[in-house]
C-alpha cells in the first residue's frame, strides 16, 4: 500500500496492480487474524468436545476431525497440551497450506495419544525452510508437551504437519 501511495501520482501502470495485490493480502491476513483470535477465546467445552469446538470455530478453511480410540483416557493435563497444540497447528497449517483443507486426527493407543494436524499443500513463507524458523508458539508447545513426558514435532516436507504425542496414564 505504501508503494501504491508513492506511485499513484507518477502514472506508473503497475500502481493499480500493486494496490489490488496489497488489498488482497490485507484481506487474507485479517481473515486469518480473526480466526486466530476466535480460536484463542476460552472454550466452554471440555476434553474431546473442546477439540471439536475449536475445529468448528476455525473458519479460514475446512477442517475435518477424526478420533480413533477412547478419548476419556486422556488426563486433564493432557488436554491442557492438546488444545493449544490444535489451535497453533490450525493457524500454522492455514498459513503454510493456503486454500486447502486441514485434517486433524486424534489417535489413542494403549500408552499414547497422538494429535496430528496436516494441511494438504505447503507454501513456505519466505525465509522459512523445513525444520527452521519455528516461532515462539511452537517452542512453547514443545515445552508444555515435554513437561508431561510428551513431544511436539513439525514436518514441512509434504505439506504442513504438526504431531503432538502425550503419554496416557495406566488404568487401574
Amino acid at each position: 500500500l505504501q508503494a501504491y501511495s508513492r506511485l499513484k501520482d507518477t502514472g506508473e501502470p503497475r500502481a493499480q496492480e500493486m494496490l489490488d495485490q496489497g488489498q488482497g493480502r490485507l484481506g487474507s491476513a485479517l481473515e486469518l487474524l480473526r480466526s486466530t483470535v476466535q480460536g484463542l477465546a476460552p472454550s466452554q467445552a471440555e476434553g474431546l468436545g473442546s477439540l471439536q469446538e475449536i475445529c468448528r470455530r476455525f473458519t479460514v478453511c475446512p477442517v475435518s476431525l477424526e478420533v480413533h480410540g477412547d478419548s476419556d483416557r486422556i488426563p486433564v493435563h493432557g488436554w491442557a497440551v492438546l488444545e493449544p497444540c490444535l489451535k497453533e497447528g490450525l493457524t500454522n497449517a492455514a498459513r503454510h497450506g493456503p486454500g486447502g483443507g486441514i485434517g486433524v486426527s486424534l489417535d489413542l493407543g494403549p500408552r499414547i495419544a497422538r494429535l496430528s494436524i496436516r494441511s494438504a499443500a505447503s507454501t513456505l513463507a519466505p525465509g522459512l525452510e523445513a525444520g527452521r524458523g519455528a516461532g515462539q508458539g511452537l517452542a512453547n508447545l514443545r515445552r508444555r508437551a515435554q513437561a508431561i513426558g510428551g513431544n511436539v514435532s513439525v514436518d514441512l516436507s509434504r505439506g504442513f504437519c504438526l504431531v503432538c504425542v502425550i503419554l496416557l496414564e495406566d488404568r487401574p
Side-chain angles (χ1 to χ4, degrees):
L1 295 176
Q2 291 171 343
Y4 171 75
S5 67
R6 282 190 224 121
L7 294 175
K8 69 180 178 181
D9 296 329
T10 66
E12 171 66 43
R14 295 182 306 158
Q16 186 62 43
E17 180 183 334
M18 293 173 113
L19 175 63
D20 294 342
Q21 285 179 352
Q23 287 175 329
R25 289 177 182 159
L26 184 58
S28 296
L30 285 174
E31 186 177 319
L32 182 59
L33 180 61
R34 279 189 199 108
S35 178
T36 300
V37 169
Q38 287 175 351
L40 294 175
S43 171
Q44 299 302 317
E46 295 178 355
L48 180 58
S50 176
L51 297 188
Q52 292 168 328
E53 187 176 325
I54 292 166
C55 290
R56 182 184 54 77
R57 291 188 337 193
F58 192 78
T59 58
V60 173
C61 60
V63 177
S64 66
L65 172 65
E66 295 181 6
V67 179
H68 306 280
D70 181 9
S71 65
D72 290 339
R73 296 181 50 228
I74 299 174
V76 173
H77 61 273
W79 291 113
V81 171
L82 295 176
E83 291 171 10
C85 274
L86 177 58
K87 290 177 183 179
E88 183 77 16
L90 289 173
T91 301
N92 280 285
R95 185 176 343 145
H96 298 297
I102 299 172
V104 177
S105 177
L106 178 62
D107 300 295
L108 295 113
R111 304 196 59 110
I112 65 166
R114 181 180 63 233
L115 177 69
S116 304
I117 302 111
R118 181 181 302 273
S119 67
S122 179
T123 55
L124 296 179
L128 184 64
E129 299 171 19
R132 293 192 46 195
Q136 207 45 45
L138 293 174
N140 289 337
L141 292 177
R142 284 187 177 106
R143 281 193 284 277
R144 280 184 172 189
Q146 289 169 353
I148 64 167
N151 190 27
V152 172
S153 60
V154 175
D155 179 15
L156 298 172
S157 63
R158 293 175 301 202
F160 177 86
C161 181
L162 181 144
V163 176
C164 176
V165 176
I166 61 169
L167 299 176
L168 297 176
E169 297 174 346
D170 290 331
R171 285 203 153 165

